mmCIF file of all heavy atoms in Angstrom:
data_model
loop_
_atom_site.group_PDB
_atom_site.id
_atom_site.type_symbol
_atom_site.label_atom_id
_atom_site.label_comp_id
_atom_site.label_asym_id
_atom_site.label_seq_id
_atom_site.Cartn_x
_atom_site.Cartn_y
_atom_site.Cartn_z
ATOM 1 N N VAL R 139 94.048 141.393 274.386
ATOM 2 C CA VAL R 139 93.581 141.710 275.740
ATOM 3 C C VAL R 139 92.067 141.491 275.778
ATOM 4 O O VAL R 139 91.363 141.786 274.812
ATOM 5 C CB VAL R 139 93.925 143.182 276.089
ATOM 6 C CG1 VAL R 139 93.323 143.577 277.433
ATOM 7 C CG2 VAL R 139 95.429 143.400 276.073
ATOM 8 N N GLU R 140 91.558 140.974 276.884
ATOM 9 C CA GLU R 140 90.102 140.777 277.019
ATOM 10 C C GLU R 140 89.469 142.126 277.355
ATOM 11 O O GLU R 140 89.296 142.489 278.517
ATOM 12 C CB GLU R 140 89.804 139.731 278.090
ATOM 13 C CG GLU R 140 90.219 138.332 277.662
ATOM 14 C CD GLU R 140 89.815 137.265 278.650
ATOM 15 O OE1 GLU R 140 88.890 137.496 279.456
ATOM 16 O OE2 GLU R 140 90.440 136.191 278.628
ATOM 17 N N VAL R 141 89.132 142.883 276.321
ATOM 18 C CA VAL R 141 88.754 144.289 276.484
ATOM 19 C C VAL R 141 87.365 144.577 275.934
ATOM 20 O O VAL R 141 86.939 143.983 274.944
ATOM 21 C CB VAL R 141 89.803 145.209 275.786
ATOM 22 C CG1 VAL R 141 89.825 145.001 274.278
ATOM 23 C CG2 VAL R 141 89.574 146.685 276.119
ATOM 24 N N THR R 142 86.677 145.489 276.603
ATOM 25 C CA THR R 142 85.488 146.132 276.052
ATOM 26 C C THR R 142 85.808 147.622 275.937
ATOM 27 O O THR R 142 86.210 148.237 276.933
ATOM 28 C CB THR R 142 84.261 145.976 276.975
ATOM 29 O OG1 THR R 142 83.990 144.591 277.142
ATOM 30 C CG2 THR R 142 83.037 146.654 276.378
ATOM 31 N N ALA R 143 85.675 148.183 274.739
ATOM 32 C CA ALA R 143 85.924 149.620 274.554
ATOM 33 C C ALA R 143 84.635 150.305 274.132
ATOM 34 O O ALA R 143 84.009 149.903 273.146
ATOM 35 C CB ALA R 143 87.018 149.834 273.510
ATOM 36 N N PHE R 144 84.233 151.307 274.906
ATOM 37 C CA PHE R 144 83.034 152.108 274.598
ATOM 38 C C PHE R 144 83.500 153.363 273.858
ATOM 39 O O PHE R 144 84.206 154.187 274.435
ATOM 40 C CB PHE R 144 82.319 152.514 275.891
ATOM 41 C CG PHE R 144 81.766 151.352 276.665
ATOM 42 C CD1 PHE R 144 82.510 150.773 277.692
ATOM 43 C CD2 PHE R 144 80.519 150.830 276.370
ATOM 44 C CE1 PHE R 144 82.014 149.694 278.410
ATOM 45 C CE2 PHE R 144 80.010 149.757 277.085
ATOM 46 C CZ PHE R 144 80.749 149.185 278.106
ATOM 47 N N LEU R 145 83.114 153.505 272.606
ATOM 48 C CA LEU R 145 83.625 154.594 271.771
ATOM 49 C C LEU R 145 82.561 155.658 271.543
ATOM 50 O O LEU R 145 81.377 155.346 271.426
ATOM 51 C CB LEU R 145 84.079 154.044 270.405
ATOM 52 C CG LEU R 145 84.974 152.796 270.434
ATOM 53 C CD1 LEU R 145 85.306 152.365 269.018
ATOM 54 C CD2 LEU R 145 86.236 153.059 271.229
ATOM 55 N N GLY R 146 83.004 156.903 271.413
ATOM 56 C CA GLY R 146 82.088 158.012 271.143
ATOM 57 C C GLY R 146 81.936 158.285 269.660
ATOM 58 O O GLY R 146 81.581 159.390 269.251
ATOM 59 N N GLY R 147 82.221 157.280 268.839
ATOM 60 C CA GLY R 147 82.074 157.414 267.389
ATOM 61 C C GLY R 147 82.105 156.028 266.785
ATOM 62 O O GLY R 147 82.345 155.044 267.484
ATOM 63 N N ILE R 148 81.870 155.946 265.487
ATOM 64 C CA ILE R 148 81.854 154.650 264.815
ATOM 65 C C ILE R 148 83.253 154.346 264.285
ATOM 66 O O ILE R 148 83.768 155.050 263.418
ATOM 67 C CB ILE R 148 80.838 154.635 263.649
ATOM 68 C CG1 ILE R 148 79.430 155.032 264.140
ATOM 69 C CG2 ILE R 148 80.803 153.262 262.980
ATOM 70 C CD1 ILE R 148 78.794 154.083 265.122
ATOM 71 N N SER R 149 83.866 153.287 264.808
ATOM 72 C CA SER R 149 85.205 152.895 264.379
ATOM 73 C C SER R 149 85.159 152.341 262.959
ATOM 74 O O SER R 149 84.307 151.520 262.633
ATOM 75 C CB SER R 149 85.729 151.820 265.334
ATOM 76 O OG SER R 149 86.714 151.037 264.705
ATOM 77 N N GLU R 150 86.107 152.796 262.120
ATOM 78 C CA GLU R 150 86.187 152.278 260.750
ATOM 79 C C GLU R 150 86.638 150.815 260.748
ATOM 80 O O GLU R 150 86.281 150.048 259.861
ATOM 81 C CB GLU R 150 87.174 153.118 259.911
ATOM 82 C CG GLU R 150 86.782 154.585 259.747
ATOM 83 C CD GLU R 150 85.775 154.831 258.630
ATOM 84 O OE1 GLU R 150 85.216 153.856 258.091
ATOM 85 O OE2 GLU R 150 85.547 156.008 258.305
ATOM 86 N N ASN R 151 87.432 150.408 261.740
ATOM 87 C CA ASN R 151 87.906 149.021 261.788
ATOM 88 C C ASN R 151 86.793 148.029 262.134
ATOM 89 O O ASN R 151 86.782 146.908 261.635
ATOM 90 C CB ASN R 151 89.022 148.854 262.827
ATOM 91 C CG ASN R 151 90.339 149.468 262.387
ATOM 92 O OD1 ASN R 151 90.532 150.668 262.537
ATOM 93 N ND2 ASN R 151 91.236 148.673 261.819
ATOM 94 N N TYR R 152 85.863 148.455 263.000
ATOM 95 C CA TYR R 152 84.850 147.525 263.519
ATOM 96 C C TYR R 152 83.445 147.887 263.051
ATOM 97 O O TYR R 152 82.500 147.156 263.342
ATOM 98 C CB TYR R 152 84.911 147.500 265.059
ATOM 99 C CG TYR R 152 86.289 147.168 265.566
ATOM 100 C CD1 TYR R 152 87.212 148.178 265.852
ATOM 101 C CD2 TYR R 152 86.697 145.843 265.708
ATOM 102 C CE1 TYR R 152 88.496 147.874 266.281
ATOM 103 C CE2 TYR R 152 87.989 145.542 266.132
ATOM 104 C CZ TYR R 152 88.885 146.555 266.414
ATOM 105 O OH TYR R 152 90.159 146.258 266.832
ATOM 106 N N ASN R 153 83.310 149.016 262.352
ATOM 107 C CA ASN R 153 82.002 149.563 261.949
ATOM 108 C C ASN R 153 81.027 149.562 263.129
ATOM 109 O O ASN R 153 79.863 149.201 263.005
ATOM 110 C CB ASN R 153 81.433 148.782 260.751
ATOM 111 C CG ASN R 153 80.335 149.591 260.070
ATOM 112 O OD1 ASN R 153 80.361 150.820 260.084
ATOM 113 N ND2 ASN R 153 79.348 148.929 259.517
ATOM 114 N N SER R 154 81.533 149.949 264.296
ATOM 115 C CA SER R 154 80.736 149.918 265.518
ATOM 116 C C SER R 154 81.314 150.917 266.511
ATOM 117 O O SER R 154 82.459 151.347 266.377
ATOM 118 C CB SER R 154 80.782 148.509 266.121
ATOM 119 O OG SER R 154 80.117 148.475 267.367
ATOM 120 N N ASN R 155 80.505 151.259 267.517
ATOM 121 C CA ASN R 155 80.999 152.109 268.597
ATOM 122 C C ASN R 155 81.304 151.275 269.852
ATOM 123 O O ASN R 155 81.421 151.799 270.945
ATOM 124 C CB ASN R 155 80.008 153.225 268.928
ATOM 125 C CG ASN R 155 78.601 152.696 269.137
ATOM 126 O OD1 ASN R 155 78.321 151.519 268.934
ATOM 127 N ND2 ASN R 155 77.705 153.575 269.534
ATOM 128 N N LEU R 156 81.433 149.968 269.637
ATOM 129 C CA LEU R 156 81.770 149.064 270.742
ATOM 130 C C LEU R 156 82.769 148.029 270.229
ATOM 131 O O LEU R 156 82.555 147.411 269.192
ATOM 132 C CB LEU R 156 80.506 148.354 271.234
ATOM 133 C CG LEU R 156 80.677 147.415 272.430
ATOM 134 C CD1 LEU R 156 80.922 148.202 273.709
ATOM 135 C CD2 LEU R 156 79.448 146.537 272.610
ATOM 136 N N ILE R 157 83.893 147.872 270.941
ATOM 137 C CA ILE R 157 84.818 146.766 270.663
ATOM 138 C C ILE R 157 84.646 145.791 271.825
ATOM 139 O O ILE R 157 84.802 146.177 272.981
ATOM 140 C CB ILE R 157 86.285 147.254 270.607
ATOM 141 C CG1 ILE R 157 86.460 148.325 269.525
ATOM 142 C CG2 ILE R 157 87.234 146.082 270.353
ATOM 143 C CD1 ILE R 157 87.831 149.015 269.541
ATOM 144 N N LEU R 158 84.294 144.547 271.527
ATOM 145 C CA LEU R 158 83.954 143.597 272.590
ATOM 146 C C LEU R 158 84.774 142.324 272.416
ATOM 147 O O LEU R 158 84.553 141.558 271.493
ATOM 148 C CB LEU R 158 82.451 143.289 272.527
ATOM 149 C CG LEU R 158 81.829 142.564 273.711
ATOM 150 C CD1 LEU R 158 82.025 143.340 275.006
ATOM 151 C CD2 LEU R 158 80.332 142.356 273.475
ATOM 152 N N ASN R 159 85.762 142.149 273.314
ATOM 153 C CA ASN R 159 86.631 140.976 273.237
ATOM 154 C C ASN R 159 86.851 140.418 274.647
ATOM 155 O O ASN R 159 87.916 139.911 274.956
ATOM 156 C CB ASN R 159 87.970 141.379 272.579
ATOM 157 C CG ASN R 159 88.883 140.194 272.318
ATOM 158 O OD1 ASN R 159 88.417 139.123 271.967
ATOM 159 N ND2 ASN R 159 90.183 140.362 272.531
ATOM 160 N N GLY R 160 85.840 140.587 275.517
ATOM 161 C CA GLY R 160 85.981 140.163 276.913
ATOM 162 C C GLY R 160 85.669 141.307 277.852
ATOM 163 O O GLY R 160 85.465 142.443 277.428
ATOM 164 N N THR R 161 85.642 141.011 279.150
ATOM 165 C CA THR R 161 85.181 142.023 280.118
ATOM 166 C C THR R 161 86.172 142.260 281.271
ATOM 167 O O THR R 161 85.814 142.823 282.291
ATOM 168 C CB THR R 161 83.807 141.612 280.704
ATOM 169 O OG1 THR R 161 83.909 140.281 281.203
ATOM 170 C CG2 THR R 161 82.722 141.662 279.652
ATOM 171 N N GLU R 162 87.431 141.842 281.093
ATOM 172 C CA GLU R 162 88.429 142.090 282.144
ATOM 173 C C GLU R 162 88.869 143.548 282.178
ATOM 174 O O GLU R 162 89.115 144.120 283.230
ATOM 175 C CB GLU R 162 89.663 141.215 281.900
ATOM 176 C CG GLU R 162 89.650 139.920 282.672
ATOM 177 C CD GLU R 162 90.944 139.143 282.504
ATOM 178 O OE1 GLU R 162 92.016 139.774 282.480
ATOM 179 O OE2 GLU R 162 90.859 137.911 282.394
ATOM 180 N N VAL R 163 88.996 144.136 280.988
ATOM 181 C CA VAL R 163 89.521 145.497 280.843
ATOM 182 C C VAL R 163 88.476 146.346 280.122
ATOM 183 O O VAL R 163 87.819 145.862 279.190
ATOM 184 C CB VAL R 163 90.835 145.475 280.023
ATOM 185 C CG1 VAL R 163 91.346 146.892 279.767
ATOM 186 C CG2 VAL R 163 91.897 144.655 280.742
ATOM 187 N N THR R 164 88.298 147.599 280.561
ATOM 188 C CA THR R 164 87.423 148.516 279.822
ATOM 189 C C THR R 164 88.212 149.749 279.384
ATOM 190 O O THR R 164 89.091 150.226 280.108
ATOM 191 C CB THR R 164 86.214 148.993 280.658
ATOM 192 O OG1 THR R 164 86.670 149.386 281.951
ATOM 193 C CG2 THR R 164 85.159 147.924 280.797
ATOM 194 N N VAL R 165 87.870 150.234 278.190
ATOM 195 C CA VAL R 165 88.400 151.503 277.686
ATOM 196 C C VAL R 165 87.196 152.420 277.507
ATOM 197 O O VAL R 165 86.231 152.050 276.837
ATOM 198 C CB VAL R 165 89.136 151.304 276.347
ATOM 199 C CG1 VAL R 165 89.596 152.648 275.798
ATOM 200 C CG2 VAL R 165 90.323 150.374 276.510
ATOM 201 N N VAL R 166 87.240 153.599 278.139
ATOM 202 C CA VAL R 166 86.082 154.493 278.082
ATOM 203 C C VAL R 166 86.516 155.931 277.818
ATOM 204 O O VAL R 166 87.625 156.341 278.162
ATOM 205 C CB VAL R 166 85.259 154.472 279.405
ATOM 206 C CG1 VAL R 166 84.733 153.091 279.707
ATOM 207 C CG2 VAL R 166 86.068 154.996 280.580
ATOM 208 N N GLU R 167 85.605 156.681 277.208
ATOM 209 C CA GLU R 167 85.781 158.129 277.117
ATOM 210 C C GLU R 167 85.317 158.744 278.416
ATOM 211 O O GLU R 167 84.230 158.431 278.900
ATOM 212 C CB GLU R 167 84.925 158.679 275.970
ATOM 213 C CG GLU R 167 85.527 158.406 274.636
ATOM 214 C CD GLU R 167 84.829 159.144 273.508
ATOM 215 O OE1 GLU R 167 84.357 160.273 273.735
ATOM 216 O OE2 GLU R 167 84.772 158.579 272.417
ATOM 217 N N ALA R 168 86.129 159.599 278.965
ATOM 218 C CA ALA R 168 85.783 160.296 280.203
ATOM 219 C C ALA R 168 85.285 161.684 279.805
ATOM 220 O O ALA R 168 86.080 162.574 279.514
ATOM 221 C CB ALA R 168 87.003 160.384 281.107
ATOM 222 N N ASP R 169 83.971 161.849 279.769
ATOM 223 C CA ASP R 169 83.375 163.052 279.184
ATOM 224 C C ASP R 169 83.208 164.150 280.231
ATOM 225 O O ASP R 169 82.557 163.948 281.253
ATOM 226 C CB ASP R 169 82.014 162.686 278.578
ATOM 227 C CG ASP R 169 81.459 163.805 277.706
ATOM 228 O OD1 ASP R 169 82.112 164.875 277.618
ATOM 229 O OD2 ASP R 169 80.381 163.626 277.127
ATOM 230 N N GLU R 170 83.815 165.319 279.944
ATOM 231 C CA GLU R 170 83.731 166.440 280.888
ATOM 232 C C GLU R 170 82.386 167.169 280.813
ATOM 233 O O GLU R 170 82.048 167.934 281.712
ATOM 234 C CB GLU R 170 84.879 167.436 280.647
ATOM 235 C CG GLU R 170 84.744 168.332 279.425
ATOM 236 C CD GLU R 170 85.066 167.652 278.097
ATOM 237 O OE1 GLU R 170 85.465 166.464 278.088
ATOM 238 O OE2 GLU R 170 84.909 168.302 277.057
ATOM 239 N N PHE R 171 81.594 166.919 279.745
ATOM 240 C CA PHE R 171 80.281 167.583 279.644
ATOM 241 C C PHE R 171 79.457 167.217 280.875
ATOM 242 O O PHE R 171 79.384 166.077 281.262
ATOM 243 C CB PHE R 171 79.556 167.141 278.368
ATOM 244 C CG PHE R 171 78.122 167.603 278.324
ATOM 245 C CD1 PHE R 171 77.827 168.949 278.173
ATOM 246 C CD2 PHE R 171 77.079 166.708 278.473
ATOM 247 C CE1 PHE R 171 76.512 169.391 278.160
ATOM 248 C CE2 PHE R 171 75.760 167.137 278.461
ATOM 249 C CZ PHE R 171 75.480 168.483 278.296
ATOM 250 N N ASP R 172 78.852 168.152 281.522
ATOM 251 C CA ASP R 172 78.073 168.027 282.775
ATOM 252 C C ASP R 172 78.818 167.225 283.868
ATOM 253 O O ASP R 172 78.201 166.616 284.722
ATOM 254 C CB ASP R 172 76.643 167.508 282.509
ATOM 255 C CG ASP R 172 76.522 165.987 282.394
ATOM 256 O OD1 ASP R 172 77.556 165.308 282.312
ATOM 257 O OD2 ASP R 172 75.387 165.478 282.383
ATOM 258 N N ARG R 173 80.179 167.267 283.797
ATOM 259 C CA ARG R 173 81.043 166.650 284.832
ATOM 260 C C ARG R 173 80.824 165.144 284.970
ATOM 261 O O ARG R 173 81.135 164.552 286.008
ATOM 262 C CB ARG R 173 80.836 167.328 286.201
ATOM 263 C CG ARG R 173 81.200 168.804 286.222
ATOM 264 C CD ARG R 173 80.996 169.411 287.613
ATOM 265 N NE ARG R 173 81.504 170.776 287.713
ATOM 266 C CZ ARG R 173 80.834 171.849 287.329
ATOM 267 N NH1 ARG R 173 79.640 171.747 286.808
ATOM 268 N NH2 ARG R 173 81.374 173.057 287.458
ATOM 269 N N SER R 174 80.300 164.504 283.942
ATOM 270 C CA SER R 174 79.940 163.087 284.088
ATOM 271 C C SER R 174 81.159 162.187 284.286
ATOM 272 O O SER R 174 81.045 161.095 284.813
ATOM 273 C CB SER R 174 79.089 162.623 282.908
ATOM 274 O OG SER R 174 79.808 162.696 281.704
ATOM 275 N N PHE R 175 82.360 162.670 283.915
ATOM 276 C CA PHE R 175 83.545 161.816 284.105
ATOM 277 C C PHE R 175 83.915 161.613 285.572
ATOM 278 O O PHE R 175 84.731 160.751 285.909
ATOM 279 C CB PHE R 175 84.750 162.302 283.291
ATOM 280 C CG PHE R 175 85.286 163.684 283.572
ATOM 281 C CD1 PHE R 175 86.420 164.128 282.875
ATOM 282 C CD2 PHE R 175 84.713 164.560 284.470
ATOM 283 C CE1 PHE R 175 86.956 165.397 283.094
ATOM 284 C CE2 PHE R 175 85.229 165.830 284.710
ATOM 285 C CZ PHE R 175 86.350 166.246 284.019
ATOM 286 N N LEU R 176 83.298 162.378 286.466
ATOM 287 C CA LEU R 176 83.603 162.241 287.889
ATOM 288 C C LEU R 176 82.960 160.983 288.493
ATOM 289 O O LEU R 176 83.200 160.655 289.656
ATOM 290 C CB LEU R 176 83.189 163.498 288.653
ATOM 291 C CG LEU R 176 83.888 164.788 288.191
ATOM 292 C CD1 LEU R 176 83.444 165.977 289.035
ATOM 293 C CD2 LEU R 176 85.412 164.653 288.214
ATOM 294 N N THR R 177 82.153 160.252 287.700
ATOM 295 C CA THR R 177 81.580 158.980 288.189
ATOM 296 C C THR R 177 82.519 157.803 287.919
ATOM 297 O O THR R 177 82.261 156.703 288.364
ATOM 298 C CB THR R 177 80.238 158.682 287.492
ATOM 299 O OG1 THR R 177 80.476 158.562 286.075
ATOM 300 C CG2 THR R 177 79.215 159.766 287.733
ATOM 301 N N LEU R 178 83.609 158.018 287.162
ATOM 302 C CA LEU R 178 84.493 156.918 286.760
ATOM 303 C C LEU R 178 85.547 156.622 287.825
ATOM 304 O O LEU R 178 85.874 157.474 288.647
ATOM 305 C CB LEU R 178 85.200 157.264 285.442
ATOM 306 C CG LEU R 178 84.298 157.542 284.235
ATOM 307 C CD1 LEU R 178 85.137 157.970 283.036
ATOM 308 C CD2 LEU R 178 83.458 156.319 283.883
ATOM 309 N N SER R 179 86.069 155.377 287.773
ATOM 310 C CA SER R 179 87.178 154.981 288.667
ATOM 311 C C SER R 179 88.257 154.307 287.829
ATOM 312 O O SER R 179 88.391 153.087 287.854
ATOM 313 C CB SER R 179 86.685 153.978 289.714
ATOM 314 O OG SER R 179 85.652 154.515 290.474
ATOM 315 N N PRO R 180 89.044 155.079 287.081
ATOM 316 C CA PRO R 180 90.024 154.446 286.197
ATOM 317 C C PRO R 180 91.287 153.959 286.922
ATOM 318 O O PRO R 180 91.651 154.475 287.970
ATOM 319 C CB PRO R 180 90.372 155.555 285.199
ATOM 320 C CG PRO R 180 89.998 156.834 285.859
ATOM 321 C CD PRO R 180 88.995 156.544 286.935
ATOM 322 N N ASP R 181 91.941 152.947 286.332
ATOM 323 C CA ASP R 181 93.282 152.530 286.769
ATOM 324 C C ASP R 181 94.328 153.386 286.064
ATOM 325 O O ASP R 181 95.265 153.862 286.690
ATOM 326 C CB ASP R 181 93.498 151.055 286.440
ATOM 327 C CG ASP R 181 92.571 150.163 287.227
ATOM 328 O OD1 ASP R 181 91.422 149.938 286.790
ATOM 329 O OD2 ASP R 181 92.975 149.708 288.307
ATOM 330 N N PHE R 182 94.164 153.544 284.753
ATOM 331 C CA PHE R 182 94.994 154.459 283.968
ATOM 332 C C PHE R 182 94.067 155.521 283.384
ATOM 333 O O PHE R 182 92.970 155.198 282.925
ATOM 334 C CB PHE R 182 95.657 153.739 282.779
ATOM 335 C CG PHE R 182 96.809 152.835 283.108
ATOM 336 C CD1 PHE R 182 97.142 152.519 284.421
ATOM 337 C CD2 PHE R 182 97.566 152.289 282.085
ATOM 338 C CE1 PHE R 182 98.210 151.666 284.707
ATOM 339 C CE2 PHE R 182 98.636 151.433 282.359
ATOM 340 C CZ PHE R 182 98.949 151.124 283.668
#
Side-chain angles (χ1 to χ4, degrees):
V139 174
E140 291 185 21
V141 65
T142 300
F144 295 94
L145 312 179
I148 305 295
S149 156
E150 298 277 10
N151 287 83
Y152 305 92
N153 198 30
S154 175
N155 50 354
L156 182 72
I157 301 171
L158 193 58
N159 186 37
T161 53
E162 265 185 39
V163 176
T164 46
V165 176
V166 300
E167 283 190 34
D169 192 357
E170 75 283 357
F171 170 69
D172 84 349
R173 298 181 172 83
S174 64
F175 61 178
L176 300 182
T177 61
L178 301 176
S179 301
D181 295 86
F182 285 9

